[in-house]
Amino acid sequence: LHEAQKIVEQVSLLGSKAVIITNEKITELYGHPLCQAMMDGGVEAYLLTLPDGEQHKTRQTKEFLEDQM
């Protein structure tokens, strides 16, 4: 996450809120730290975690994500 500061700066230029969508494996490695870096940088950040696997990339999952946002 050495690039986290650059990401936060770029997101800040676009707005004050961000949603990070990732899978279970990546959430622990990068999702939580990136979300925290965004919040520390003044961005209202949310983390949505999906199960791993292609079988979860469905219209139902898309609907779930839209409902969460």
Side-chain angles (χ1 to χ4, degrees):
L1 281 175
H2 63 280
E3 299 289 322
Q5 186 58 37
K6 285 184 184 178
I7 294 169
V8 172
E9 290 171 5
Q10 291 173 352
V11 169
S12 296
L13 294 174
L14 299 172
S16 61
K17 295 181 183 181
V19 177
I20 302 164
I21 302 170
T22 187
N23 66 29
E24 294 167 339
K25 290 180 182 178
I26 301 301
T27 292
E28 291 303 318
L29 292 172
Y30 303 107
H32 289 300
L34 180 58
C35 191
Q36 187 61 54
M38 286 189 175
M39 290 189 292
D40 292 346
V43 175
E44 187 178 338
Y46 300 92
L47 180 62
L48 297 177
T49 303
L50 301 175
D52 294 327
E54 292 297 315
Q55 69 272 21
H56 298 290
K57 296 178 183 176
T58 64
R59 287 183 181 268
Q60 185 178 6
T61 300
K62 178 183 173 280
E63 184 177 301
F64 166 79
L65 291 171
E66 290 171 343
D67 289 346
Q68 296 304 305
M69 291 190 275

